[in-house]
Amino acid sequence: GENVEQHPSTLSVQEGDSAVIKCTYSDSASNYFPWYKQELGKGPQLIIDIRSNVGEKKDQRIAVTLNKTAKHFSLHITETQPEDSAVYFCAASAVGYGNNRLAFGKGNQVVVIP
Amino acid sequence: KAGVTQTPRYLIKTRGQQVTLSCSPISGHRSVSWYQQTPGQGLQFLFEYFSETQRNKGNFPGRFSGRQFSNSRSEMNVSTLELGDSALYLCASSPDERPTGGYTFGSGTRLTVV
């Protein structure tokens, strides 16, 4: 099955700086790559996703890039703010009829230092 | 628009007992998936239901089961509880038969087995 690895495990950044989280995946059939943010006591919240036919996607301060050849994708957060402090999970899935399970990375604790 | 509702939020059970967790998806969503989240193993896929049919099952023992009702609400059951079953159980819903991603997670049920 799909194996997703996520690095680094913990990331501390100064407020206003950028944060980058990288993930690798193993299954070349994976075609959907979401990123989730989880705050204490809450479930994961989808913040951005990308499909395999796209190389980059942006949404305000958040962007995701995908390199299918190297099987890795990254989350970029610019102008970090204290409310960006959370655990971030990447995931991969070979989305299609009958196979919609998400394989998650182990998560990154992002700490934004005011 | 109400989100994914999971009940109860917290449960304490004794080893050997069984437990039933409930999930009400977003109105109109027909696909429901369950995940187990633990500090050691992270987020692991349990099962996925669509239109009352289980379409996928993760690598968990038969003590873990689930079902989906005609109104798309879902329940999961864990029998003969073990200490290692202590975890946050998350439900996620999606509107599509062929989900293109975009799962919305509930806040989870925190199960503690003593």
Side-chain angles (χ1 to χ4, degrees):
Chain A
E2 175 65 274
N3 180 45
V4 177
E5 296 195 358
Q6 195 168 346
H7 305 280
S9 59
T10 304
L11 180 62
S12 295
V13 296
Q14 288 292 138
E15 182 178 356
D17 287 351
S18 296
V20 180
I21 304 170
K22 299 179 181 179
C23 286
T24 60
Y25 63 99
S26 61
D27 188 352
S28 57
S30 288
N31 55 16
Y32 174 66
F33 307 92
W35 286 88
Y36 284 86
K37 174 184 180 183
Q38 188 173 26
E39 297 173 313
L40 203 59
K42 298 183 179 180
Q45 176 192 5
L46 178 69
I47 57 172
I48 196 167
D49 55 15
I50 193 168
R51 305 187 193 288
S52 58
N53 59 346
V54 175
E56 182 176 2
K57 183 177 178 181
K58 290 183 180 180
D59 183 4
Q60 299 181 4
R61 297 187 295 109
I62 294 172
V64 57
T65 59
L66 171 65
N67 183 326
K68 286 189 296 183
T69 303
K71 293 199 185 79
H72 67 70
F73 56 114
S74 300
L75 176 71
H76 303 252
I77 307 173
T78 59
E79 300 173 19
T80 53
Q81 300 168 4
E83 52 265 37
D84 294 328
S85 295
V87 178
Y88 291 80
F89 293 93
C90 62
S93 177
V95 173
Y97 185 73
N99 181 18
N100 303 308
R101 67 176 70 186
L102 292 169
F104 283 88
K106 289 292 176 68
N108 290 93
Q109 176 73 60
V110 173
V111 178
V112 179
I113 304 165
Chain B
K1 187 176 183 181
V4 178
T5 303
Q6 291 189 245
T7 56
R9 287 296 311 273
Y10 302 93
L11 265 178
I12 300 176
K13 290 286 187 178
T14 304
R15 222 170 7 167
Q17 287 187 313
Q18 75 166 19
V19 66
T20 299
L21 312 181
S22 178
C23 171
S24 293
I26 290 173
S27 179
H29 284 199
R30 296 194 293 162
S31 174
V32 173
S33 297
W34 288 89
Y35 290 81
Q36 181 196 64
Q37 185 175 26
T38 59
Q41 298 299 316
L43 283 148
Q44 292 189 292
F45 172 79
L46 280 158
F47 18 68
E48 179 206 356
Y49 290 89
F50 181 83
S51 292
E52 303 178 65
T53 301
Q54 185 182 89
R55 295 204 295 189
N56 271 295
K57 191 176 193 301
N59 189 25
F60 280 82
R63 300 184 296 107
F64 291 80
S65 63
R67 59 178 175 169
Q68 186 181 32
F69 302 96
S70 59
N71 61 358
S72 295
R73 191 177 70 84
S74 178
E75 289 182 347
M76 67 163 283
N77 184 277
V78 187
S79 62
T80 320
L81 284 166
E82 300 177 359
L83 297 179
D85 297 333
S86 295
L88 180 66
Y89 290 88
L90 292 158
C91 169
S93 76
S94 174
D96 306 317
E97 176 176 356
R98 295 190 183 193
T100 52
Y103 293 98
T104 302
F105 281 83
S107 294
T109 294
R110 172 75 62 185
L111 172 65
T112 302
V113 182
V114 297

